[in-house]
């Protein structure tokens, strides 16, 4: 039996009466001509797959797992902000449900808690450690590779699926975020799953697939709020136009999918909004203790227009609208800071997307081959458009959301054109995609001039040689043609693979992390300003860390933003050659880990905003003394400072003002009552970020955090332990 583009490749007929009738004929183009099938050796269903298909797939998953697990514990607690919430969730089911930063439930993280739940369950089972926190993220990365492979293999071939899976696994920012504890790993997995379910629905028109897609998107909302909805328009449009059922049924199915989104994502929101505010933690990141305000403000429209109340300094400050987060525009994703994270194969993906749509232009409306290109391509273009022009907070690692869309387009497009390589337009398009990949890979590697200087030439020469061979691929013998294809694949993946290996060989901690080596003009590279104002610890081509003072704000940085000078250990900064888990630091191995900002006065990066504090043994002992007699062992301005002490001691530490120190929680009156009731033992002085300037970045000096700081300094006894300063809230100073 010949299997065609638009027949499901499950090895069986999916119709109810498949045993009673022969296989249906090949679907026809709109012009009446059937689509050209793949050769049977590449397009058979799972039972008839080539013998190498399943072992190769399992080897891909195993290699991805080994790659991502390598050196995993070097990052310690990674982003201590989320690790503290994971620790709290492992100790308190209430903190687990709400995503609280501490087990006493003072305030939540500034995201919904779904991404924290797998990590918290892991810590409950295995105990608190770097591996227990980060291993679930690795599993999500392996799962995303599996989903992408399964989707591409089903419609195209095992070889196409393997290419797509390898492209995803070797994307530098994917290797970064599938080994990190931010919500982006879960988001990427669920977005890939949603696309898979929509493509399944395009095959047979079953409502259950749209329900599953809606559930995936709804749960993704509980990981990273409105970012989960970026791909909704293209997915709904593709199904509404291409589904193999009547218009009336399509509308009903899309409505059912929307209901699934509301139910799977809305149940938690409804509980939180209906729960009495007096008996739940404050919603971190909001200004009025409302998750809906957080969703549509700070984490929603504010990310698009830069108007983020309580932010750390979003848009509106420079460039073409991106302010402190870089210039916006169509080329943002190709910039010095972002290009090496994700853009290696974007040119090829766009070329192959266009080629796939041209190749299927005469197919009938319900062509699943074309629908697959539209689903993945629509998701990619929509997300790229938003990322390119959003004016609010934007970090390089956000681009991991693009990786699950780029990889399938490369695998599908390459497979489709390869089977048509005897036609001049197909071979020329393959050669064009290869040329663009080689040229852009050379340009990206050239930005890191001291980083493996021979590699850019290998990529350029190898890629151009493969492009030349692809022009004549239809005339070459099978072995020679496969050799050309193999050379092209190696040249295309050499650059991102090298960046990925560099990434997994480094420690990554703090709130702003990047993959690969430092590059000219990028954050962390020569000429880059790093995070606006923060001291940026950057890596040069030899793997040594070299600190550079940021210049994003007047004066060159935030109070307390220190520098890390070539492997020298300054107080509270990166520790060379050591892995001090549990202190929210960036531990640097021989290849150099990077974190944004130094630490001043015992505070974390950028004065405690971006990274955790260095907790000395003496300070840990001080806070642990009689900690069980208090609800909170201590309170600190900003979540990162609080998180470091909480992770070190295992006791709840209140984060005054949430992540930025700008949330109005607790109020001065509430804090006074906590102290009067004997619920807080110590107040931790914040060095650069805290004190009378602790209104947060962009906050006023008379904000809630500053008023609390002033009141504490005026009324309670100061205790100095090493270089850290505490105030004993049980010991008032004499009048």
């Amino acid at each position: 039996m010949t299997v065609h583009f638009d027949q499901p490749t499950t090895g069986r007929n999916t119709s109810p009466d498949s045993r009673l009738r022969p296989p249906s004929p090949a679907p026809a183009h709109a012009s009446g001509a059937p689509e050209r099938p793949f050769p049977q050796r590449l397009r058979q269903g799972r039972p008839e797959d080539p013998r190498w298909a399943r072992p190769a797939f399992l080897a891909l998953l195993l290699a991805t797992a080994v790659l991502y697990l390598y050196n995993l514990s070097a990052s310690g607690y990674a982003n201590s902000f989320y690790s503290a919430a994971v620790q709290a969730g492992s100790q308190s089911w209430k903190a687990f449900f709400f995503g609280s930063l501490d087990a006493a439930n003072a305030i939540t993280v500034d995201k919904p808690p779904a991404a924290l739940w797998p990590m918290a369950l892991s810590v409950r089972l295995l105990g608190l450690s770097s591996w227990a926190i980060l291993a679930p993220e690795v599993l999500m990365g392996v799962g995303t590779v599996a989903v992408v492979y399964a989707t591409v293999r089903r419609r195209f071939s095992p070889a196409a699926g393997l290419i797509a899976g390898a492209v995803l696994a070797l994307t530098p920012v994917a290797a970064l975020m599938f080994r990190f504890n931010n919500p982006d790993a879960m988001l990427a997995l669920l977005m890939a799953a949603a696309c898979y379910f929509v493509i399944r629905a395009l095959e047979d028109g079953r409502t259950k697939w749209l329900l599953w897609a809606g559930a995936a998107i709804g749960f993704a909302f509980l990981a990273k709020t409105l970012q989960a909805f970026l791909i909704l328009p293209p997915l709904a449009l593709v199904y509404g136009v291409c589904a193999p059922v009547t218009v009336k049924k399509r509308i009903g199915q899309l409505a059912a999918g929307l209901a699934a989104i509301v139910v799977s994502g809305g149940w938690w929101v409804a509980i939180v909004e209906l729960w009495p505010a007096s008996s739940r933690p404050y919603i971190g990141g909001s200004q009025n203790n409302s998750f809906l305000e957080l969703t549509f403000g700070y984490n929603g429209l504010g990310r698009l227009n830069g108007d983020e109340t309580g932010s750390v300094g979003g848009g509106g400050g420079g460039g073409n609208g991106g302010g402190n987060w870089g210039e916006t525009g169509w080329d943002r994703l190709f910039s010095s800071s972002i290009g090496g994270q994700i853009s290696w194969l974007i040119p090829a993906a766009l070329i192959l997307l266009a080629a796939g749509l041209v190749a299927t232009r005469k197919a009938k409306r319900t062509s699943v081959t074309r629908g697959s290109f539209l689903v993945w391509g629509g998701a990619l273009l929509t997300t790229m458009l938003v990322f390119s022009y959003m004016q609010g907070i934007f970090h390089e690692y956000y681009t991991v959301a693009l990786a699950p869309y780029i990889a399938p387009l490369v695998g599908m497009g390459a497979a489709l054109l390869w089977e048509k390589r005897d036609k001049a337009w197909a071979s020329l398009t393959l050669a064009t995609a290869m040329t663009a990949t080689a040229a852009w890979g050379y340009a990206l590697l050239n930005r890191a001039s001291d980083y493996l200087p021979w590699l850019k030439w290998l990529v350029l020469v190898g890629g151009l040689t493969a492009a030349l061979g692809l022009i004549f691929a239809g005339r070459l013998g099978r072995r020679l043609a496969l050799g050309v294809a193999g050379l092209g694949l190696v040249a295309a993946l050499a650059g991102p693979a090298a960046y990925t290996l560099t990434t997994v060989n480094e420690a990554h901690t703090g709130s702003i992390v990047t993959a690969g080596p430092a590059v000219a003009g990028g954050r962390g590279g020569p000429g880059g300003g790093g995070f606006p104002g923060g001291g940026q610890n950057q890596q040069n081509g030899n793997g040594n860390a070299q600190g550079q003072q940021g210049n994003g704000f007047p004066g060159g940085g935030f109070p307390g933003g220190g520098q890390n000078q070539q492997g020298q250990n300054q107080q509270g900064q990166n520790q060379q050659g050591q892995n001090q888990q549990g202190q929210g630091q960036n531990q640097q191995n021989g290849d150099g880990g990077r974190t944004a900002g130094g630490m001043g006065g015992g505070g974390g990066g950028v004065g405690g905003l971006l990274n955790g504090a260095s907790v000395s043994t003496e300070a840990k002992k001080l806070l642990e003394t009689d900690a069980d007699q208090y609800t909170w062992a201590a309170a600190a301005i900003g979540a990162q400072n609080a998180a470091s002490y909480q992770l070190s001691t295992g006791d709840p530490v209140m984060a005054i003002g949430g992540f930025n120190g700008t949330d109005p929680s607790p109020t001065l009156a509430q804090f006074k009552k906590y102290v009067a009731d004997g619920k807080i033992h110590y107040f931790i002085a914040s060095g650069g970020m805290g004190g009378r300037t602790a209104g947060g970045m962009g906050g006023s000096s008379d904000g809630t955090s500053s008023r609390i700081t002033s009141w504490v300094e005026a009324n309670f006894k100061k205790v100095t332990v090493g270089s850290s300063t505490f105030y004993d809230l049980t010991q008032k100073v004499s009048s």
Side-chain angles (χ1 to χ4, degrees), residues 531-622:
F531 179 85
Q536 177 75 18
N537 178 18
Q538 54 184 302
Q539 179 180 348
N540 61 27
N542 297 322
N544 296 321
Q546 181 177 6
Q548 175 173 309
Q549 187 69 17
N551 56 9
F553 280 81
F558 298 123
Q563 299 181 8
N564 186 21
Q565 301 294 337
Q566 293 218 338
Q568 294 180 1
N569 176 22
Q570 297 179 348
Q571 179 183 353
Q573 296 181 342
N574 300 337
Q575 311 299 317
Q576 183 175 14
Q578 299 179 13
N579 180 17
Q580 301 181 5
Q581 297 181 12
Q583 298 186 10
Q585 302 180 123
N586 182 22
Q587 298 83 25
Q588 182 175 339
N589 57 26
D591 294 293
R594 295 199 313 280
T595 182
M599 300 183 187
V606 187
L609 176 69
L610 299 179
N611 203 357
S614 176
V615 182
S616 66
T617 302
E618 295 80 5
K620 180 176 180 290
K621 183 177 180 180
L622 176 72

Side-chain angles (χ1 to χ4, degrees), residues 27-225:
H29 294 309
S31 62
E35 291 192 25
R36 181 187 178 192
F38 276 117
Q40 188 172 358
R41 68 181 183 275
L42 294 179
R43 285 289 296 111
Q44 291 171 335
R46 183 171 297 171
E48 298 85 18
D49 273 346
R51 291 184 177 181
W52 54 262
R54 187 175 294 275
F57 168 58
L58 296 177
L60 171 65
L61 297 187
L62 178 61
T64 302
V66 171
L67 176 67
Y68 288 177
L69 287 172
Y70 172 76
N71 200 35
L72 187 64
S73 62
S75 294
Y77 290 140
N79 189 342
S80 56
F81 175 63
Y82 291 116
S83 289
V86 168
Q87 178 198 40
S90 70
Q91 297 173 343
S92 162
W93 286 114
K94 184 175 182 180
F96 177 91
F97 177 80
F98 286 106
S100 301
L101 275 164
D102 63 90
N105 293 287
I107 194 170
T108 71
V109 297
D110 57 2
K111 300 289 187 298
L116 302 173
W117 291 341
M119 294 183 283
L121 292 175
S122 175
V123 171
R124 276 184 178 268
L125 180 65
L126 303 175
L128 183 65
S129 70
S130 177
W131 267 73
I133 291 174
L134 299 180
E137 307 299 283
V138 171
L139 295 179
M140 291 180 198
V142 175
T144 307
V145 171
V147 169
V148 166
Y149 169 87
T151 311
V152 174
R153 184 214 65 85
R154 183 177 178 81
R155 183 52 41 192
F156 294 86
S157 69
L162 291 172
I163 291 173
V167 168
L168 174 58
L170 294 177
T171 300
V173 72
L176 173 70
M177 296 314 295
F178 287 130
R179 295 160 45 85
F180 205 71
N181 58 336
N182 280 21
D184 301 78
M186 176 175 282
L187 179 75
L189 171 60
L190 292 172
M191 293 295 92
C195 292
Y196 168 82
F197 290 131
V198 171
I199 293 173
R200 290 297 302 268
L202 289 174
E203 291 180 355
D204 55 24
R206 294 186 185 182
T207 304
K208 70 173 185 178
W209 299 121
L210 286 185
L211 294 178
W212 280 112
I217 292 174
F219 203 74
F221 172 83
L222 293 182
K224 210 173 179 188
T225 59

Side-chain angles (χ1 to χ4, degrees), residues 236-291:
L237 181 61
V238 172
Y239 189 81
V241 173
C242 302
V245 294
T246 64
V247 173
K248 182 178 180 180
K249 187 171 183 179
R250 278 176 256 164
I251 294 174
Q253 289 175 321
L254 289 172
L258 179 61
I261 294 175
V262 173
V263 172
S264 60
W267 65 273
W268 184 86
V269 178
I271 293 175
V272 171
E273 288 297 302
L274 294 173
W275 197 296
S278 59
S279 63
R280 63 161 170 79
Y282 185 91
I283 303 300
S286 73
Q287 297 300 300
N288 57 17
N289 200 12
S290 167
F291 179 77

